[in-house]
Amino acid sequence: MQLGMIGLGRMGMNMALRLLRGRHKVVAYNRTPEKVNEVVKKGAKGAYTLEELVNSLKPPRHIWLMLPAGLPVDITISKLKGLLQRRDTIIDGGNSFYKDDIRREQQLRPMDIHYLDAGVSGGIWGLKIGYCLMIGGEKKIYRRLEPVFRTLAPKDGYLYCGPVGAGHFVKMVHNGIEYGDMQLICEAYQMMRELLGMSAPEMHEVFKEWNTGDLDSYLIGITRDILAFKDQDGQPLVDKILDTAGQKGTGKWTSVVSLDLGIPLTLVSEAVFARCLSAMKEERLQASKVLHGPLPAFAGDKQSFIRELGKALYASKIVSYAQGFVLLKEAAKEFSWDLNYGNIALLWRGGCIIRSAFLGRIKEAFDRNRELPNLLLDPFFKERIEKSQDAWRNVVSIAVRNGIWIPAMSTALLYYDGFRNARLPANLLQAQRDYFGAHMYERIDAPRGKFFHTNWTGHGGETASSAYTV
């Protein structure tokens, strides 16, 4: 096929090269001409203006955007609208917010210009192994562009997710889960470093072993490699990296959307907050001088504790993915999307950053029950949580007693305990709301949906607020 590529950063450049290797014709544009010159040497046709790019493509044109989310995409689409014709297609492959996709498609529809949103995962290794693609939009346009998707993706590495917005929504949840996975791994590292006093080479051996068992994954594998990497002076490079983490917004979006949809995505949210707290380096340095807690001290069997730590990491990972798939299910209900959760798990296993053997178990869970409300209720995951629970609780309690910061592992355990609890203290909370705001409450001896108000003080009046839930 013939494709225009706008944006030749790390991802865009490598995607253009992969398409060229697949014998597609690529017309490439970048706001800095040096990148265009670079890809021209590899066989692409260069375009130094958007007009030149559009005029170099035969109708119906297909133009793929690999740009930073937000304003850069809007500005580029605004310029393209005056250049494109009926039946042309724009594909946004950046990390755009799904609501922006819906808005853009609505703006382009009267002009009969098609729009697809394509969530892309694969990082810098995508050129070699392929990119995991999560695609939303009109299905017939998706079908038209399948030769491009097949070339970019590894085997089973692309998926039609549903109408416009669905592709980037699935990618957003993927990125949120990625935040959680990375934070959990960092907390295991922190426990080994701060509590057990282990060196980077010693931790390398632990992650090497973990990557041969249940925790086998891309992220565990790269952590193993990072811990073995030496700086020029022969010392572990990881020990010299400043402990402040950046983020580009997809984790935050996942947390915000979970609040909008009323889904307790606690682990991903803690992972986002963990990055925010890490960025407060100067404040933390000041606090460390005046705020005190227990000094970490471990007197038990180190190897036994490391095995428990692996079990705690696995159990927490189950909770993270359970929460992520509940969010996907709620979005499908909210937006009338027909998401196939087993296929999403299979897709993520194929070529994305969170690829792991673990995702195969999720595929099997949804094969057993496509309507599974929560992964924690699947027989396999229920059994694994039960086998890991004592170790999980021990790790969290030891961390708390020793002042080790593990927000993601601890919130995973708290979610599990809340989810398995038939009675939570929200009855008191509802009484409080009714006391001060006449917000009403339901009763255990009345049908669901019937609300009551009590005049708690005798002088509050009988008028109650309307019953609604945000």
Side-chain angles (χ1 to χ4, degrees), residues 314-332:
Y314 190 80
S316 301
K317 185 182 177 83
I318 293 173
V319 169
S320 181
Y321 282 72
Q323 292 181 351
F325 276 91
V326 169
L327 180 59
L328 287 174
K329 290 178 74 69
E330 186 64 24

Side-chain angles (χ1 to χ4, degrees), residues 374-429:
N374 191 304
L375 283 175
L376 294 174
L377 301 176
D378 174 75
F380 173 81
F381 289 112
K382 175 178 174 290
E383 180 186 7
R384 293 312 303 269
I385 286 279
E386 288 174 353
K387 287 182 176 179
S388 303
Q389 191 172 156
D390 288 346
W392 191 14
R393 294 187 186 281
N394 191 46
V395 166
V396 171
S397 63
I398 287 176
V400 171
R401 289 199 301 272
N402 284 274
I404 306 292
W405 181 64
I406 56 165
M409 275 192 201
S410 56
T411 200
L413 180 57
L414 292 173
Y415 173 86
Y416 174 76
D417 281 340
F419 185 65
R420 69 179 183 81
N421 202 317
R423 186 174 176 87
L424 297 174
N427 55 316
L428 176 59
L429 188 148

Side-chain angles (χ1 to χ4, degrees), residues 130-155:
Y131 299 90
C132 176
L133 305 175
M134 294 144 268
I135 304 146
E138 196 174 348
K139 196 160 192 177
K140 70 176 183 179
I141 307 304
Y142 160 82
R143 293 293 187 200
R144 183 191 299 171
L145 280 150
E146 267 201 278
V148 168
F149 303 143
R150 276 197 298 270
T151 298
L152 286 172
K155 187 176 184 290

Side-chain angles (χ1 to χ4, degrees), residues 165-238:
H168 274 144
F169 193 98
V170 172
K171 175 57 165 47
M172 178 190 72
V173 175
H174 161 280
N175 280 26
I177 291 173
E178 179 184 309
Y179 271 56
D181 268 358
M182 294 171 74
Q183 179 62 29
L184 288 170
I185 291 169
C186 288
E187 291 176 14
Y189 158 81
Q190 183 81 339
M191 289 286 281
M192 286 187 275
R193 187 171 68 95
E194 293 293 319
L195 183 64
L196 304 183
M198 295 173 65
S199 65
E202 288 174 321
M203 290 185 279
H204 160 79
E205 293 299 328
V206 173
F207 279 93
K208 181 179 177 181
E209 181 180 348
W210 281 354
N211 206 45
T212 63
D214 289 336
L215 290 167
D216 172 29
S217 70
Y218 174 74
L219 287 170
I220 292 287
I222 68 169
T223 305
R224 170 203 62 201
D225 296 344
I226 289 168
L227 290 166
F229 196 91
K230 300 289 195 299
D231 200 6
Q232 293 178 348
D233 61 0
Q235 297 302 309
L237 177 58
V238 68

Side-chain angles (χ1 to χ4, degrees), residues 88-390:
D88 290 347
T89 301
I90 295 172
I91 309 104
D92 179 13
N95 273 332
S96 286
F97 189 48
Y98 77 100
K99 287 185 177 179
D100 289 339
D101 294 315
I102 295 170
R103 169 178 55 81
R104 291 166 185 152
E105 192 273 340
Q106 290 172 345
Q107 293 171 347
L108 293 169
R109 193 186 307 159
M111 305 171 64
D112 200 19
I113 296 173
H114 304 295
Y115 181 94
L116 296 181
D117 57 291
V120 180
S121 180
I124 60 175
W125 305 108
L127 175 59
K128 180 179 179 181
I129 67 173
Y131 299 90
C132 176
L133 305 175
M134 294 144 268
I135 304 146
E138 196 174 348
K139 196 160 192 177
K140 70 176 183 179
I141 307 304
Y142 160 82
R143 293 293 187 200
R144 183 191 299 171
L145 280 150
E146 267 201 278
V148 168
F149 303 143
R150 276 197 298 270
T151 298
L152 286 172
K155 187 176 184 290
D156 297 323
Y158 68 95
L159 181 68
Y160 176 74
C161 296
V164 166
H168 274 144
F169 193 98
V170 172
K171 175 57 165 47
M172 178 190 72
V173 175
H174 161 280
N175 280 26
I177 291 173
E178 179 184 309
Y179 271 56
D181 268 358
M182 294 171 74
Q183 179 62 29
L184 288 170
I185 291 169
C186 288
E187 291 176 14
Y189 158 81
Q190 183 81 339
M191 289 286 281
M192 286 187 275
R193 187 171 68 95
E194 293 293 319
L195 183 64
L196 304 183
M198 295 173 65
S199 65
E202 288 174 321
M203 290 185 279
H204 160 79
E205 293 299 328
V206 173
F207 279 93
K208 181 179 177 181
E209 181 180 348
W210 281 354
N211 206 45
T212 63
D214 289 336
L215 290 167
D216 172 29
S217 70
Y218 174 74
L219 287 170
I220 292 287
I222 68 169
T223 305
R224 170 203 62 201
D225 296 344
I226 289 168
L227 290 166
F229 196 91
K230 300 289 195 299
D231 200 6
Q232 293 178 348
D233 61 0
Q235 297 302 309
L237 177 58
V238 68
D239 293 340
K240 300 183 179 183
I241 298 174
L242 189 67
D243 59 321
T244 60
Q247 54 183 311
K248 293 191 173 179
T250 47
K252 180 187 75 174
W253 291 344
T254 314
S255 295
V256 171
V257 170
S258 73
L259 289 170
D260 289 340
L261 297 180
I263 300 301
L265 202 75
T266 58
L267 196 146
V268 171
S269 297
E270 284 291 355
V272 174
F273 291 139
R275 296 196 187 192
C276 296
L277 187 59
S278 79
M280 300 169 63
K281 179 65 175 179
E282 288 72 25
E283 293 92 331
R284 289 190 291 112
L285 283 172
Q286 293 176 16
S288 68
K289 298 172 184 176
V290 297
L291 301 179
H292 305 292
L295 292 175
F298 184 79
D301 181 83
K302 183 183 291 188
Q303 292 305 315
S304 176
F305 183 78
I306 289 172
R307 287 192 292 272
E308 288 191 328
L309 186 58
K311 291 180 180 180
L313 178 57
Y314 190 80
S316 301
K317 185 182 177 83
I318 293 173
V319 169
S320 181
Y321 282 72
Q323 292 181 351
F325 276 91
V326 169
L327 180 59
L328 287 174
K329 290 178 74 69
E330 186 64 24
K333 183 168 65 176
E334 178 76 13
F335 306 119
S336 300
W337 293 340
D338 184 23
L339 298 179
N340 188 313
Y341 310 108
N343 285 350
I344 290 172
L346 183 64
L347 173 76
W348 288 349
R349 190 179 68 177
C352 67
I353 301 302
I354 63 171
R355 59 184 180 270
S356 66
F358 179 87
L359 285 160
R361 296 295 189 178
I362 296 178
K363 172 68 165 65
E364 293 168 4
F366 284 110
D367 284 347
R368 284 190 287 271
N369 180 6
R370 193 178 189 278
E371 303 304 320
L372 182 68
N374 191 304
L375 283 175
L376 294 174
L377 301 176
D378 174 75
F380 173 81
F381 289 112
K382 175 178 174 290
E383 180 186 7
R384 293 312 303 269
I385 286 279
E386 288 174 353
K387 287 182 176 179
S388 303
Q389 191 172 156
D390 288 346

Side-chain angles (χ1 to χ4, degrees), residues 4-20:
M5 179 67 74
I6 297 177
L8 298 172
R10 286 175 302 172
M11 294 278 280
M13 174 66 78
N14 283 346
M15 291 171 71
L17 295 178
R18 189 170 172 92
L19 288 168
L20 288 169

